[in-house]
Amino acid sequence: MRSVLRRASPLAAVAIVLAAAAPAIEIWQVQGSGASSPYAGQTVTTTANVVTAVGPAGFFIATPPERSDHDPATSDGIYVYRGSAPGVTAGDVVDVTGTVSEYHGMTEISATAVSVVGTGAALPAPVELDGDHPPGSRPQAGAELESLEGMLVHAANGTVTGPSDRRGAIAFVARSGRAFREPGIPWPGVNGLPVWDGNPEVLFAQLAAFGAPSASVPAGARVDEIAGPLAEYDGAYEVWPTSFHFTGEPSARPVRERRAGEFTVATQNLYQLFDDVADGGEKVVSPDEYARRLAKHSLLIRDVLRAPDVLAVQEAESLKVLEDLAARLHDDDPQLSYTAYLLPGNDPSGIDVGVLARNTVTVAEVAQAGKDETFVYGGSTYLTHDRPPLVARAEFTGGQAPFPFILVAVHMRSLSGIDGDNGGFVRAKRAEQARSLARLVQSLQAGDPAAHVVVAGDFNAFEFTDGWVDVLGQVTGTPDPLGAMIPASPVVEPPLTDWTRSLPAGERYSFVESGNAQALDHILTSQGLAGHVSGAEYARANADAPAALAAEAATPLRAADHDGMALFVSTAPLHRPRRLIHGAR
């Protein structure tokens, strides 16, 4: 998404002048029926159009309804770029001369002359957006939104599906219910493989771009009303609101309290928790920022994850950082005592996998798995794991009798670049990591078929296939029947249970990417635990929270960008062991 305050202009100090004499054409002619203007690069004049919205560096104009061509493939609106305060008001009638250009995909006129020829004109009625308009399918959605570029749009009763980011932009859909990631390669996909349509119904809004007040907006909030011109930036369509009203406040939702006889195993991505010491080339933060982040994570772990008995963490810089977090937890609540475990991995950015174990848990051993494993791609040999799994053999000792378990803490390679020039390598590495983890899990099960194995962390993978690699299908031993370019080759028997799939459909997410809710963080369990797990929940504090809250030390909100997850384990067998159907959606 662009910033509307974007380019220096030699016209900034030029007064509004009469439009140069040139044959006048209509806006819909300038826009044309395709993705770009047939007049791109040419100087045009368009006359007697109505100013619909005014921003800091330009304004939108629209063809009066009586002059529209009424063609659904063309737009009656366009952006006029001035480079400074444009000196016009909504409702003015103007003549414009300038050069037509495509700025990151949006047709606009860089004006050399603007003349106000009237005032007080009625604005054209906005196009109403709803659950069917734009359609949530491809390829029609892109063409339909292109035909609305530059025109006023309006939506009511919508849903914020991506919280306000650092630039004050939100993602929303013009219907109730948020957008979720689905199986497959993003549209247009690859022939013969599952395809995800990319949720083209997701729109964006830069809240402060054109006059609406900036706001801290959580995902899940209701869009009571949003109105303004529709812009485009690199294929993403965004509203620059002139008005915006929503209902909903940022808030945390903790996991439930433990019941008698239960303990909890949890996972939390700490989002690049670096300290304020320059000791190895990693990122260094200020002492104030480090203290703030420790305070926020303490609140998150204590109040939202409810102080789990053992916590797998990702993206911690070092053992010292994890020990600092344990100390902060104890300072904030002297009844809490955690021991930190972390072994350095191979990640060049300096982030590692660790474990925090409460004094209700006795840890016998923590070992790193597969740090030196390699795979071959393109004739070269590469390390398999940047952040090797940690295997912690432990017992919960807070009950009447010790309850042994094995925690495998993981942080796998992200999807970043999977469809780019280096995509083949990314896909191969993700697949090899999944195979390595599957072999590790199977070795633990083979060593003791009744072992209580928990695999927890940031898998950077969905509970279904992403179309490129079926990561969770490989690790759990239950391939997605939709398949993948690199399909799963099961080695885990009996298969693991992914507790994300036990949740209601609307709860299956731990991260929000471009307005799409998706589950990247999972907890998997072996059949040895089938009669002991009483449920799992995501702790809501991060994924839906506005980015601005990351700067506030007194709230757990946006301590990180991922929501954590907690697994509830009963030390006594449950009367009705809960067993999932692994292939179910």
Side-chain angles (χ1 to χ4, degrees), residues 280-291:
E282 295 91 356
K283 177 181 176 182
V284 180
V285 301
S286 70
D288 286 346
E289 181 178 349
Y290 187 47

Side-chain angles (χ1 to χ4, degrees), residues 82-128:
R82 293 291 286 167
S84 60
V88 296
T89 302
D92 284 351
V93 180
V94 296
D95 298 343
V96 173
T97 293
T99 303
V100 178
S101 63
E102 295 289 332
Y103 186 78
H104 286 270
M106 185 166 80
T107 305
E108 61 180 42
I109 299 174
S110 293
T112 56
V114 175
S115 176
V116 177
V117 297
T119 59
L123 304 190
V127 176
E128 290 294 331

Side-chain angles (χ1 to χ4, degrees), residues 158-164 170-173 178 217-223 244 246:
T159 305
V160 177
T161 196
S164 50
I170 62 167
F172 74 99
V173 289
R178 64 194 302 164
V217 186
R222 170 188 162 118
V223 177
F244 173 61
F246 70 99

Side-chain angles (χ1 to χ4, degrees), residues 514-552:
S514 297
N516 300 292
Q518 50 198 254
L520 298 179
D521 305 81
H522 304 267
I523 297 181
L524 319 176
T525 58
S526 65
Q527 287 300 312
L529 272 171
H532 291 274
V533 177
S534 47
E537 294 180 8
Y538 284 114
R540 300 295 179 206
N542 296 320
D544 292 337
L549 294 177
E552 297 186 13

